[in-house]
Every structure is written in structure tokens, then in C-alpha cells.
Amino acid sequence: MRYEMWRKQNAYSVLYLVLTGFLALVPATHAQDVRLEPVFGGATFVEPIDLQPAPDGTGRLFVVEKTGRVYVLDGPGDESPELFMDITSLTLSRGERGLLGLAFHPDYADNGRLYVNYTTPNPLHTHVSEFRVDAGSPDRVDIATERLLLRFSQPFGNHNAGQVQFGPDGFLYISTGDGGSGGDPENNGQDLTTLHGNILRIDVDTESGDRAYGIPADNPFVGDTQNKREEIFAYGLRNPWRMSFDRETGLLWVGDVGQDDFEEVNIIPTEGNDIHFLEVVLPDIAGPEETGLAVEGHAPGIP
């Protein structure tokens, strides 16, 4: 049941990733064949950055605004969004900062738990927190229920990443940027003692020591004695803004923001620590007659 809910939930995320990637690769000569239509009629939003379904069988859709608000709609065609969550008092939308990601617990229908990734101003930190819906209203989050899972500082105002996504294994995956600026001046992407520049994986249903979450037993650096962060699942990323799981293979597809020449889509296997690596898939831009995907190497990730 949990896996089926996961498949349905990620259909929208996969569609978003594929559609945006497809639009970027369509040659100009075929642009007239691509049409966009409003999903919610005349409804408008401020800085919408994500769209998530709730795994509760209701068909409701949730629009995430970077400003700190989340709106709920009954589904495609609904033109009357209702405010579901408001954390504008906790975050500030500016540049690449704000409310950046939303994920519903696989058992949301029973426990009403959801997770968000947002930045806090003054000082700038990333928070990954759990919230619960109001006991008396399934269409409103009780902000007083916040339970902070992760908190870490951000040295610069960009490259905060922000996606939170449950995998088919029931664990929560979190994308984190390399800390910002340009060229990764602090070398965070290759520093295993920091949470920056990674895909993290945690167990939100357990606690471990002084942590408000558990560490999956097969995370690559579990039990490491050299201060490597046990939360790390994959590293060597720059700003993995969006990611989604392949419903058929379980592979994790990660959209990583490039710097000067390329954007990336990283494919990260989710089983077997001996094959955790980053494979970069780049668009072949030789011309409209030579479309396709070229596989290139990536800066060292998990061996």
C-alpha cells in the first residue's frame, strides 16, 4: 500500500521533471508543437515552485509558494485555492531562499505528517521540519506542531537546494546545495564532514541518540569514525534543486544546477552501497538532426 501511494505521489514530480527537461531540449523549429495550458483555470499564485499530491486518495493537489505559503486545490480544474499552510513568519523569500520543498509522509492519510525544507533569515540557516495537519481540519496545517529535524547554516544566499522526497524505501531524501557563491569556494561538494552539496537520507519514524531522526542502516557512512556525516547518501553535487524517483526502476533522478556551460541530470542508484555513484546525463546540443543524451563523468561522488 505504501509503495502504491509512493508511485501515485511521484507521478506529478516525474511529469514536472520530464516536461521541464523536454522543453529545454525541443529544437526551436518544433517549438510551435508544444502547448501549455493552465491547470487551475484563473487561479494565480506568487512564486510557485512545487506541486505535490497528498498520498491519501483524495486527489488534492498542493501548490508550494516560495513566499512561505502552501495552497490546496481539489484537483485539476479547481480555480479556488484554499490556504493550507503559512510559515511566512518563519522564512523570507529572497533570491534562492524561502520555502523550497514539501513532502507528505507515506502514511499521511493516517498520521497527518508532512515535511518542509525552508531557509530562515538572520542568521541564514536551512531547516527541515515536520508539521501536522490541524486535528479539526484536514485542509490546514497546525504551525504549532513544528518539530525541527535538521538545522544547518548557509554561508551564502544561493545554492540552498531544497527538495524533500520520500523514496520507495520509506526514507526521507533531502537535497542540499554546496553553500553558494560560485565555484564552491569552501569545497563543500567534496567535504564529507558537512551536510552541504549532498543528497541526505534519514528515517523520520525513529530517533537516534540526540538526533530527532534515525539513520538508515545501509547509508554509506554509517559507523564512520572520521567525522563523515552519516546522513549522506550521495555527494559531489552543486545545487540539486529538484529530484524525483523513477516509479519503475527506483532510480533517483536529480536536477543539478550548473555554473557556466552545462546543467545536469544526475542518476543515483538507490540500492547497493557498492554502486552509489553519480552519472551525469547531458543534452546533446550538436543540432536538431542529432538529438539525444550523452553520458559524461562527474566529479567524484560515492565510490
Side-chain angles (χ1 to χ4, degrees):
M1 181 64 176
R2 170 178 289 193
Y3 177 69
E4 289 302 317
M5 283 296 187
W6 169 82
R7 285 170 58 91
K8 294 176 183 178
Q9 180 180 10
N10 280 276
Y12 294 95
S13 299
V14 171
L15 177 61
Y16 173 81
L17 177 61
V18 171
L19 178 60
T20 52
F22 171 72
L23 290 177
L25 295 176
V26 172
T29 55
H30 300 296
Q32 65 271 21
D33 297 331
V34 178
R35 294 177 296 176
L36 300 178
E37 298 181 359
V39 177
F40 303 117
T44 59
F45 304 93
V46 179
E47 296 186 285
I49 49 88
D50 202 3
L51 176 68
Q52 294 289 337
D56 58 3
T58 64
R60 294 178 300 164
L61 295 174
F62 297 78
V63 176
V64 181
E65 293 185 344
K66 192 161 66 71
T67 59
R69 296 184 179 92
V70 179
Y71 288 90
V72 58
L73 300 101
D74 289 335
D78 185 358
E79 299 185 29
S80 302
E82 297 290 338
L83 184 63
F84 175 71
M85 183 178 191
D86 187 343
I87 60 168
T88 53
S89 62
L90 303 178
T91 188
L92 176 65
S93 176
R94 182 174 297 169
E96 298 177 20
R97 291 158 284 171
L99 175 56
L100 304 177
L102 165 70
F104 292 93
H105 193 282
D107 294 327
Y108 175 76
D110 296 322
N111 61 32
R113 290 157 56 188
L114 57 130
Y115 301 82
V116 296
N117 188 332
Y118 68 92
T119 60
T120 63
N122 305 318
L124 180 60
H125 284 83
T126 282
H127 281 200
V128 177
S129 291
E130 174 190 279
F131 289 86
R132 294 175 182 263
V133 293
D134 190 300
S137 173
D139 286 336
R140 193 62 188 261
V141 171
D142 183 354
I143 302 302
T145 63
E146 181 177 17
R147 183 170 74 97
L148 182 62
L149 301 180
L150 273 174
R151 179 179 184 268
F152 53 93
S153 63
Q154 293 288 356
F156 300 97
N158 61 333
H159 293 188
N160 299 304
Q163 182 83 44
V164 282
Q165 188 87 52
F166 279 95
D169 51 14
F171 297 129
L172 183 66
Y173 291 71
I174 304 160
S175 69
T176 69
D178 63 14
S181 187
D184 193 8
E186 299 186 359
N187 197 37
N188 286 326
Q190 299 299 316
D191 184 354
L192 297 176
T193 66
T194 177
L195 295 179
H196 294 292
N198 305 308
I199 302 298
L200 311 177
R201 184 173 72 154
I202 63 174
D203 183 354
V204 300
D205 294 322
T206 63
E207 296 184 5
S208 176
D210 59 352
R211 292 178 290 217
Y213 52 87
I215 301 294
D218 58 347
N219 271 13
F221 303 115
V222 168
D224 182 82
T225 59
Q226 299 180 349
N227 296 320
K228 296 175 183 177
R229 295 301 298 258
E230 294 183 313
E231 297 91 342
I232 295 175
F233 183 76
Y235 69 97
L237 295 127
R238 186 170 185 267
N239 190 38
W241 167 238
R242 286 293 176 252
M243 61 184 178
S244 187
F245 288 91
D246 188 309
R247 300 188 306 279
E248 299 300 326
T249 67
L251 290 173
L252 179 59
W253 291 67
V254 181
D256 197 2
V257 179
Q259 184 159 311
D260 295 323
D261 297 322
F262 296 104
E263 307 294 328
E264 296 181 1
V265 176
N266 298 298
I267 303 174
I268 304 176
T270 54
E271 293 184 0
N273 287 343
D274 57 330
I275 58 170
H276 281 215
F277 61 91
L278 299 183
E279 181 179 25
V280 180
V281 183
L282 302 174
D284 181 347
I285 55 176
E289 302 304 320
E290 299 182 43
T291 58
L293 295 177
V295 177
E296 300 289 345
H298 192 281
I302 292 176

